Amino acid sequence: MRKTIIASAIFFLLFTYGLVLSQNQLTVIPEELEPKNPVGFYDYKGISNVHTDRGLGSGSPLEVIKAAQEVGLDFLVFTDLNAFEKPALPHGYHRKLLVIGAEEFSYVDSRLLLYDLQKRHALESLGQTQTLLADLLSQSGSEEKQDLIVLAHPLKPGFNWSGAYPAGLDGIEVINLKSVWRTAWDNQKASFFWSAIVYPFNSALSLLRLYEEPERELALWDQLSTTRHTIGMAGAEATARSTPLGVGSISFPSYQTSFSLLSNHVLLNSELTGEAEGDRRKILNAIAEGNFYMSLDVLGEPKGFIATIQDGEKTHLMGSRVKFQPGMKLIVKLPRRPRTPFEAAFLKDGQHLMSSNSVDSELELHGPGVYRVIVRVFTSFTLPDGNRWITWLYSNPFYVE
């Protein structure tokens, strides 16, 4: 009898705790039925570094597309690893979702993402690919961009780049979700297992609580940006089995969960038209220019956020290269005031300059440098985690010469 009472009490406590977890809303910003674009631009949300069952993933292309549609993405970039002689992917529009094909290749000890902006290459073997990548990496970015090469999970153990970073490398994954989970598994096994327990009740919470600021990747990004134009991307590396617990038919985390956590928001000065090839070029060209920001969307809908440099009557979007002029201002606008404490932090060459807790902020520039912005929010987690600051938005840099 006593054992039954104790077991019932434990079950009741766990059930109650699970109910509390399921009700935990992570969003720090009031939701709107139709979020507004920033003035003068259009914000399109998408995911890069996505794997299907053609390679490392567990889902078919159509299953992954369905997951992206359910989350409300505007574009999705498939990057199956070394996918030679595999069935063609269903590129183009699927209802409102634009599906874009790219590739991930093994290169030396690293992994490179290749975005063929002009669809010039028909790669049939890894040897042919190695030759092409070696040629592209040796070229500077001075000519009109035809290919975009991004270093995936640059500091992941076993995949570190060795030697100097080549002139033809266009960007790095500043955030890679699979690396985040792997780091948690390596360094915080007890916390990781707790997240596995939390996952059925609140999948977003279980994974967000493992998120740590990618300080080493940010430092590398700042270092590269002081010498060249270097885009910073968020990569899902979604496989639906991206942790040691993903076995058999268990998807941990699922594609839907991965897609809802983190994305890249591309800013365009004109709307997408619905014509697949033209819209593909617009999205990829904007990414190549750095006209986008990274967002932990699970913390709130960021649409409406924008960071620009104002030079008299001229407006320069993130990713721009501009010549310094006295009176220049870096202006940041948030879509709405968060419900929790927040700050917009301005950085120059990786060093903190100032912070603001206003929805609209500005910083007068006093000289050349590489400037970027982050927005941090104070987030409430369920016990035993408590509260902590976490970065919600990361802009790409401005290059002021």
Side-chain angles (χ1 to χ4, degrees):
M1 181 68 177
R2 184 179 178 184
K3 290 182 179 179
T4 302
I5 294 174
I6 293 174
S8 299
I10 292 174
F11 175 81
F12 177 77
L13 289 174
L14 289 175
F15 176 81
T16 302
Y17 183 66
L19 185 62
V20 172
L21 288 174
S22 68
Q23 299 302 312
N24 189 314
Q25 297 297 318
L26 297 168
T27 54
V28 298
I29 193 166
E31 296 183 7
E32 291 186 345
L33 291 177
E34 294 186 14
K36 297 179 181 178
N37 287 295
V39 177
F41 296 94
Y42 297 88
D43 185 315
Y44 293 100
K45 175 175 65 174
I47 301 289
S48 180
N49 199 344
V50 178
H51 299 274
T52 73
D53 59 5
R54 298 166 75 245
L56 303 175
S58 65
S60 70
L62 291 180
E63 288 172 336
V64 179
I65 287 170
K66 181 180 179 182
Q69 291 170 331
E70 290 175 356
V71 173
L73 298 182
D74 297 305
F75 67 92
L76 177 73
V77 184
F78 283 128
T79 55
D80 281 309
L81 177 66
N82 301 330
F84 306 107
E85 300 180 2
K86 296 291 178 68
L89 286 167
H91 299 159
Y93 271 103
H94 294 257
R95 297 206 296 268
K96 295 182 179 181
L97 175 71
L98 176 62
V99 177
I100 298 172
E103 305 286 350
E104 182 174 5
F105 296 113
S106 304
Y107 186 79
V108 191
D109 293 326
S110 300
R111 298 276 173 83
L112 295 175
L113 303 172
L114 175 63
Y115 303 80
D116 184 356
L117 274 63
Q118 305 298 327
K119 289 189 174 181
R120 300 184 302 154
H121 311 301
L123 300 171
E124 300 177 350
S125 69
L126 192 56
Q128 179 189 16
T129 302
Q130 303 293 298
T131 301
L132 172 66
L133 290 173
D135 178 54
L136 294 176
L137 288 170
S138 68
Q139 302 173 16
S140 67
S142 58
E143 299 179 0
E144 182 181 355
K145 180 59 62 179
Q146 294 182 312
D147 299 283
L148 176 66
I149 301 179
V150 175
L151 181 59
H153 43 70
L155 300 178
K156 183 178 179 180
F159 297 92
N160 299 65
W161 185 272
S162 58
Y165 292 91
L169 183 65
D170 300 298
I172 67 170
E173 280 188 336
V174 175
I175 309 172
N176 178 282
L177 286 182
K178 186 173 182 179
S179 293
V180 171
W181 316 146
R182 180 63 62 173
T183 299
W185 170 254
D186 291 339
N187 301 331
Q188 309 174 55
K189 282 187 171 57
S191 183
F192 189 95
F193 278 117
W194 183 251
S195 279
I197 293 172
V198 171
Y199 187 82
F201 301 102
N202 192 324
S203 60
L205 172 63
S206 75
L207 297 174
L208 184 64
R209 64 179 298 277
L210 296 175
Y211 182 82
E212 297 289 343
E213 188 80 350
E215 294 180 354
R216 295 170 61 229
E217 288 83 357
L218 288 167
L220 173 61
W221 187 26
D222 289 327
Q223 173 193 336
L224 293 174
S225 295
T226 58
T227 62
R228 71 185 85 168
H229 186 281
T230 305
I231 65 169
M233 293 190 71
E237 199 171 354
T239 63
R241 55 184 177 205
S242 63
T243 74
L245 296 183
V247 294
S249 61
I250 300 173
S251 297
F252 183 85
S254 67
Y255 286 108
Q256 289 93 333
T257 300
S258 294
F259 294 165
S260 67
L261 291 173
L262 174 76
S263 70
N264 299 290
H265 285 251
V266 174
L267 297 175
L268 303 177
N269 55 19
S270 62
E271 288 186 271
L272 296 179
T273 64
E275 192 278 306
E277 181 54 30
D279 289 347
R280 183 194 76 90
R281 288 196 299 268
K282 287 176 72 171
I283 291 289
L284 292 183
N285 285 332
I287 291 175
E289 291 298 319
N291 303 153
F292 67 100
Y293 62 94
M294 298 168 278
S295 168
L296 280 173
D297 292 332
V298 66
L299 292 174
E301 170 60 61
K303 191 173 185 178
F305 167 79
I306 192 166
T308 58
I309 283 182
Q310 198 68 35
D311 178 15
E313 297 298 319
K314 297 179 181 177
T315 298
H316 304 282
L317 194 57
M318 58 193 83
S320 299
R321 303 174 181 87
V322 297
K323 184 175 177 58
F324 173 73
Q325 299 291 342
M328 275 184 167
K329 294 181 179 179
L330 174 51
I331 298 175
V332 174
K333 296 180 180 293
L334 300 185
R336 291 167 299 286
R337 176 173 289 277
R339 290 186 285 238
T340 65
F342 70 97
E343 66 172 13
F346 296 76
L347 297 91
K348 176 185 177 184
D349 301 329
Q351 301 300 310
H352 180 269
L353 287 180
M354 65 162 279
S355 294
S356 167
N357 59 359
S358 297
V359 173
D360 298 337
S361 309
E362 63 179 47
L363 170 71
E364 185 171 351
L365 307 186
H366 296 289
V370 180
Y371 296 84
R372 63 181 179 88
V373 176
I374 63 172
V375 178
R376 302 170 69 235
V377 293
F378 194 63
T379 308
S380 298
F381 291 90
T382 306
L383 290 174
D385 294 307
N387 305 324
R388 65 182 170 101
W389 286 92
I390 189 168
T391 303
W392 173 32
L393 308 173
Y394 303 79
S395 82
N396 258 270
F398 299 85
Y399 302 85
V400 181
E401 302 167 348

